[in-house]
Amino acid sequence: MACFSVNGLRLLLLALAAISLFNSETISAQTTKSQTSNALPAQANGQYADNAVCQTCHQELWEKHFATTPHSALLKGNQHGCQSCHGPAQAHVDGGGDVTKIIRFETLSPAQTAAICTTCHQSSLETQNFSKSAHLANGVSCTSCHSPHKSSDVNFMLAKPQTELCFGCHASQKAEFARPYRHRVDVGLVQCSDCHNPHGTQVGHQVRAAAGQFAVCTKCHTDTMGPFVFEHAPVKTDEGCMSCHTPHASTNPRLLQVNNVNFLCLRCHTPNTNGAAGEPIGPAHNQSTKYQACTMCHTQIHGSNFSPVFFR
Amino acid sequence: MAMRQRGAHPTVATAIGIFILLVGTARPQNPSTAPGPASPPSSPDEGKDIGGYHVVQSIELGGRIADITGSQAMYDTLVNYQTGARILEQSLSMQSLSHHDIFDTLTFSSFGWGGDPEQAARMRVSKYSWYNFSASYQHMQNYFDYNLLANPLNPAAGANPFIPILNSPHSYYNRHNIYNYDLVILPMHRISFRLDYNRVRITGPSFSSVHQGTESLNNENWNSTLNGYRFGADFRVTKKTTLNYTQLLQYYDGGQTYSLNPFNSWPLSNGQSVTFGLPWFNGGSPCSTPQTNGIANPICNGYFNYGLYQHVNTSIPTEQVNLKSSSLKWLDFNGQYQYSHANSSTPLYETFSGLTTRSNLLAYNTPGSSAKSRWNSSSADASATIHINDQMRLVETFRFRNFSVAGTFLDQENAYFNAASLGAGSLLNPIATFPPTILTHSSSSPADITNEVNTNMIGQRTFQNDFQLQYDISRLFGVRVGFVWNQLLIQPGNLFQASLGDVYYPNTPNRGNCVGLPLNPDGSCTFVGVITPWGSPTTTINRYSAIVGGWYRNGALHANVDVQIGGADNWIYRIDPTTFFNVKGNVSYAPRPWLMLAGNVLFQQGQNTAGDIQYNQHNYLAMATATIMPGKRWGLDLAYNFDAIQQNIILCFEGAVVPPGSVPCLGDPTLMQTNSVYQTHTQYGYFALTLTPIDRITLRVGYNIVDNQGNTTQFNTLQPLGPLASIYQTPLAAVDILIHKNVTFKAGYNYYQYAENDFVGPTAPRYFHANNTTLALRYAF
């Protein structure tokens, strides 16, 4: 603090003032004049009505639900309130509530819904990949998971609690997390969004990535992150952790793909006369004895700094 | 950058601590597997207006009573709820009525305080358009002791005495604590800022093993910390274009330390205790006759002492730039570039004393040994969604990634032997020093002084292109077709080893790398030179697949299906498929507000038919669920899942037990080849019935079962099927009684049972059942 001079403080205050001036306008959803994307419906054009006029017909929705959601911030300043999402409403009002003159989300395709929502929600890294996501490609739109008008979840306006929401479509994962060896999603310790970004990511299965774009697993399982001098190649290359583990849950301990470790290892470490490069070498240990417990000796199987055969 | 002191948390953590005493928005656990009773549904009128906020809060105080029969280790591994008082759940939600306060919403929820193996707390505070702050704490008591894992399966036949390994030599008893703090300043503004801090702590004991002649059981102590700091800025250049910059700094400190556990110790004739470790009359370990009349055989692999200390320090700066633009009405563009560079180093302090009979080694240590490693990783992603019209779009995604991990281990070791005049190495012989004493060596003995450098590198370069045409035929259904190409160039390991001066003392100085070399004047031999040159080849794999998919939704019915078929022109690991075929389908149907039906199917298959691999793998899955809640009086939840997994592959192995159909492989009669199999059918069944006969009382009964049956190629007759013949079931019953306004009495009963219907093996039984009762009072408004 001693080196934080008065001039530095002045400079910081000046920068903050400049940012606030530049930043005074929050993001508003729709332009008034022209359709800004081929993805948007035609009702995105038109003239805006006064924000308060929506309440005259949609009073209950306004008072009981919308006012308590984060979207209520759209009522501030020169923003357009409900019209930020539903489009300019003057024609709808002039038409006595003509439903064809307003954007109704139940009439939109998933891509059209996403185009409206991402008009504002595109600057966040969490949602930037939605247009290329597996969810959108499979007809899952923003309103499939979020309930913008009312939700018991005041933070993300999810239609249901997260795990229950995901299991609604991904029902087989509910069965997976009932298995004996599992990530503790069933008790709420781990959430689906800890590993997956439902809005899409750069890699498959909408899985997040750790530093260096390595497997998200190392975010929590930091002892496997490395870098190690002697890496176990399949841990970092090709399929990565899923070479040996099933990531959600397993009937096998340590979430392994098979029940016996020697079978797991021998699948790759078998002498092969037709292999590329002849690697990895197979064991010359008698599988009928103690050597069936491969990791009793090869303990540092995720990588070692001291032993090329992962003894220590 | 100076590291933060361990234990120093942001002051916001103190604020979080204050809120721990309050209650907030409930984040209920999955009611089908919750250890406690169900909560009654929230009333829409729940909550009070206090000080300009609408406050909803609840707290559940109570306790658990656990009665376990059978394997405590297995119960602690799978369940681990113990008897004791608890703060089972608490929640708080505060919503500003005027939006003129310091925050608009605050939510805080937590569960598991007082001794549950899983504890979590999550908090979020936001002032719309000004800031979002979230914090979370996750704690797991990481207990694991499945005794077949890493178990040498000591035979009883011929053992004198029989010493079974009753616990897993690689069991865990440590704790995992994860903290996350995230702050977004000025969200939804033209410029916004992100500040994040996360911390991962792993502490506590576990067991491990090490091979030195034989395999000892070691105490393994965990004490590692990962601190991560992230700073970011999001700049909305125009209304439709955003530029993001993120700087991530991570620091990892710690690593495991090891010390000898005196499991299976015996006295020598001189009274000194020697540890023979885990294998016993097993594979020739520790030796053919380890003890006679209770006295340890001095010519036997054994440990007096072992220890390994390391202290890993890793720093990982990562930079990331993102660009998102929809400024052109027909184009959504998305780009990301990330560069990450890690540096890691650790010393190695390792000591051993005992005997390795094959090499006559009595002791070694590693003064001056150290390891350094690094990774460089860069990735670039670009995607473009071209909107041909409001129904049709092309989605093109390209990904490039290149990383390498390289490291150097400076191996400096001193090895110790006894005097040659005393004959072969013995646990009774003292260590001798050359010069002047000639030492006992065998042709397998390591150098007396090792001074080597080991350098290794792995790497991978990836190109991936994903092209799709997506067509929304109407708002009700759409289709897509696409093609994915993926090229991997993999260097799985390129090892270089060189000696900077290995010294071999007499006797037998011309051993190891000194074979054929001239001796030094004192009779020793020194080797300097390359041991293993660079030169492992890389492998290039091109994978390609076609994708076809479709979706349908009409409000009540949602369905989607994806089909992918593809292949590869090469493989690097034997389990890499050269052809694959996947079909996935989901359907959910809600014809009435109170009825929800859903189903999933998965057909996934991969093969590598190259030569003597014949790898064939499939996963066939079908799932059906039904949720029926016609009113507040009753509700029913049902689910069934069937999952068939199979892997076949040719394995070549050495073994005295020869599976049927085996033939010699590689022309070596000691090696057998068999088409090995792993096959499992897993069935999952679940139901939960909720009854509310009167408003004050809610009853719930439920049942969960996971039945896993299968078979696999057995190489060891002492190796049971274990989880491949197991049933895990958890029925439950619960009652909630509203005894007073805002106060609910809750009682729950959970039964847990794990059973294997195959033989136990030469270890402890793994069956358990447990009766758990949870009693609680819930106060909410």
Side-chain angles (χ1 to χ4, degrees), chain A residues 196-272:
Chain A
H196 297 274
N197 183 347
H199 307 108
T201 61
Q202 315 292 353
V203 296
H205 301 285
Q206 303 191 150
V207 174
R208 298 180 188 274
Q213 294 287 295
F214 291 109
V216 67
C217 319
T218 59
K219 257 180 46 177
C220 298
H221 299 282
T222 54
D223 54 301
T224 64
M225 178 175 63
F228 299 106
V229 175
F230 304 104
E231 292 278 354
H232 191 194
V235 175
K236 289 257 180 355
T237 62
D238 206 359
E239 290 294 317
C241 308
M242 293 201 294
S243 301
C244 299
H245 298 277
T246 53
H248 289 151
S250 177
T251 51
N252 302 310
R254 299 284 168 87
L255 277 66
L256 295 176
Q257 290 183 2
V258 298
N259 65 319
N260 288 337
V261 169
N262 60 335
F263 187 98
L264 188 79
C265 304
L266 285 175
R267 295 179 314 167
C268 291
H269 292 277
T270 282
N272 187 41

Side-chain angles (χ1 to χ4, degrees), chain A residues 70-202:
Chain A
H71 283 157
S72 64
L74 294 168
L75 300 169
K76 297 179 183 176
N78 61 349
Q79 300 179 90
H80 300 297
C82 308
Q83 300 166 90
S84 301
C85 299
H86 289 280
Q90 190 60 53
H92 171 69
V93 172
D94 294 342
D98 186 347
V99 297
T100 64
K101 298 292 194 295
I102 197 79
I103 293 176
R104 293 163 58 219
F105 280 80
E106 58 264 33
T107 66
L108 301 182
S109 71
Q112 289 175 323
T113 301
I116 292 173
C117 299
T118 55
T119 304
C120 294
H121 294 286
Q122 72 163 9
S123 58
S124 166
L125 290 177
E126 278 290 293
T127 55
Q128 281 192 354
N129 294 297
F130 192 65
S131 61
K132 63 167 187 173
S133 69
H135 272 155
L136 185 62
N138 281 283
V140 178
S141 70
C142 311
T143 52
S144 301
C145 299
H146 298 278
S147 181
H149 288 158
K150 62 173 181 176
S151 169
S152 61
D153 173 22
V154 298
N155 293 315
F156 302 107
M157 296 190 295
L158 295 178
K160 296 177 185 177
Q162 187 188 113
T163 310
E164 184 184 345
L165 183 66
C166 302
F167 287 166
C169 293
H170 300 280
S172 58
Q173 273 68 36
K174 178 174 178 175
E176 280 190 286
F177 287 113
R179 294 176 182 176
Y181 305 96
R182 68 216 186 272
H183 281 109
R184 301 299 206 258
V185 171
D186 57 325
V187 296
L189 179 70
V190 178
Q191 295 184 309
C192 307
S193 57
D194 287 342
C195 300
H196 297 274
N197 183 347
H199 307 108
T201 61
Q202 315 292 353

Side-chain angles (χ1 to χ4, degrees), chain B residues 387-407:
Chain B
H387 297 278
I388 299 169
N389 53 43
D390 65 354
Q391 288 178 278
M392 188 181 296
R393 56 198 168 270
L394 299 172
V395 182
E396 163 66 30
T397 305
F398 180 78
R399 179 172 172 84
F400 168 78
R401 183 173 176 228
N402 190 23
F403 75 85
S404 66
V405 184

